[in-house]
Amino acid sequence: MRSRVDIKTEAKEILRSAKVSPILITLIVMAIAFVLNRVMILVEYGTLFPIGFIQRYADAYQQAFATGDVSALQALAASLPESTTMSFFFSTLVSLFMVILNAGYFIYCMGIRQGVEMPYSTLTEGLSVAGKLIWCWVQLTVRTFLWSMLFIIPGIVAAYRYRFAYYNLLTDSNLSAGEAIRLSCQQTAGIKMDLFVLDLSFIGWLLLSAITMSLLDMWLTPYITLCDLAYFEDAQKRLGRSPYNSSQTPPSSGEPWEL
């Protein structure tokens, strides 16, 4: 397996040489996510920017803590819009849309890793496997939640175990959602700590991004994704699979795998 330093150096070079700017592609995804997030907040709080509510909540909480009088907190809670089936449905719909949009973003990053010119329309290519992506999202959400109920650590381990599931669906059309998850368990066996250390190595950049109000994410997000895909490529090769456009027979249900 390549060293983390080599993988990061390669990712930076890909960012510089990509024919269609990774920064602009990422900006489009970030803009869509921001708009959808604002709409979700509007549905939940009745305003696009709930800064006033947050300040009022902080003041009411401080008063309740100092005096023991929780009436202000209760009044504030009563002023919130009631949760409805429609708002829950909308938030779920947004989550599923972002899964499909992110899939298109992953396809773009896979393409530039291979030196291919990926147009902006690549972001819509997740629609071709939308059903599998959604079913995969449902399974991953349920499985990770169940592991998290044991304690937070098993939930984190599960997240690393299933890390390559979406990549598998996007590179092998023969796989079902369940097979993609099982394959991810095989791919991440023995490298979960490597992936964890990779994530830790970005802590400084993430803190700097927070200081810049996430503007740095336009460069940081494709950088992190390209590094993650390098580990995916190595995992594919270790299992005797080609990194992209795989046509191998999916692992049978009789092979060992983890929940």
Side-chain angles (χ1 to χ4, degrees):
M1 179 178 290
R2 292 167 286 179
S3 70
R4 188 172 66 256
V5 174
D6 290 340
I7 285 174
K8 287 188 169 184
T9 301
E10 179 190 46
K12 291 175 183 176
E13 179 57 34
I14 294 172
L15 287 175
R16 286 191 292 265
S17 62
K19 295 181 177 63
V20 176
S21 173
I23 292 178
L24 289 179
I25 285 281
T26 306
L27 181 59
I28 292 172
V29 175
M30 289 175 60
I32 294 173
F34 176 80
V35 171
L36 291 176
N37 178 260
R38 291 297 99 187
V39 174
M40 289 177 63
I41 289 176
L42 177 62
V43 171
E44 184 174 355
Y45 294 99
T47 177
L48 286 174
F49 300 96
I51 297 177
F53 169 80
I54 294 173
Q55 183 60 49
R56 284 186 287 130
Y57 177 84
D59 293 341
Y61 179 83
Q62 184 177 11
Q63 178 182 350
F65 183 79
T67 65
D69 182 9
V70 298
S71 58
L73 277 176
Q74 292 173 339
L76 192 60
S79 68
L80 286 174
E82 294 186 5
S83 297
T84 63
T85 302
M86 182 59 67
S87 64
F88 173 77
F89 173 78
F90 180 76
S91 63
T92 302
L93 192 64
V94 168
S95 297
L96 296 178
F97 175 80
M98 289 307 302
V99 168
I100 297 172
L101 180 63
N102 286 332
Y105 185 76
F106 294 151
I107 292 173
Y108 165 82
C109 291
M110 290 174 181
I112 64 174
R113 279 198 64 85
Q114 300 172 79
V116 179
E117 182 176 352
M118 305 298 288
Y120 293 103
S121 60
T122 302
L123 291 175
T124 65
E125 291 189 10
L127 290 170
S128 62
V129 287
K132 289 184 179 181
L133 289 169
I134 291 173
W135 182 228
C136 186
W137 176 81
V138 171
Q139 292 191 55
L140 293 180
T141 300
V142 172
R143 292 182 187 214
T144 304
F145 171 74
L146 291 176
W147 278 113
S148 299
M149 290 183 67
L150 297 178
F151 196 60
I152 189 171
I153 299 300
I156 294 174
V157 173
Y160 280 97
R161 185 182 301 139
Y162 307 142
R163 184 156 172 153
F164 297 152
Y166 291 126
Y167 297 163
N168 288 327
L169 285 178
L170 298 174
T171 57
D172 190 344
S173 59
N174 294 324
L175 292 177
S176 66
E179 289 166 343
I181 294 172
R182 291 195 289 272
L183 180 57
S184 179
C185 292
Q186 296 176 349
Q187 291 165 329
T188 56
I191 65 167
K192 296 182 188 69
M193 183 54 67
D194 294 321
L195 293 171
F196 179 70
V197 172
L198 174 69
D199 291 343
L200 284 181
S201 70
F202 293 115
I203 289 295
W205 283 112
L206 292 170
L207 291 175
L208 185 58
S209 177
I211 294 174
T212 63
M213 299 181 66
S214 299
L215 291 177
L216 186 59
D217 284 354
M218 289 185 291
W219 176 83
L220 185 57
T221 300
Y223 178 36
I224 292 176
T225 304
L226 290 171
C227 290
D228 199 48
L229 284 170
Y231 280 83
F232 170 71
E233 292 170 6
D234 288 346
Q236 287 277 69
K237 293 174 183 177
R238 193 175 67 251
L239 295 180
R241 300 170 59 88
S242 61
Y244 303 111
N245 300 319
S246 299
S247 59
Q248 294 89 339
T249 303
S252 67
S253 57
E255 294 183 12
W257 59 282
E258 303 174 80
L259 176 64

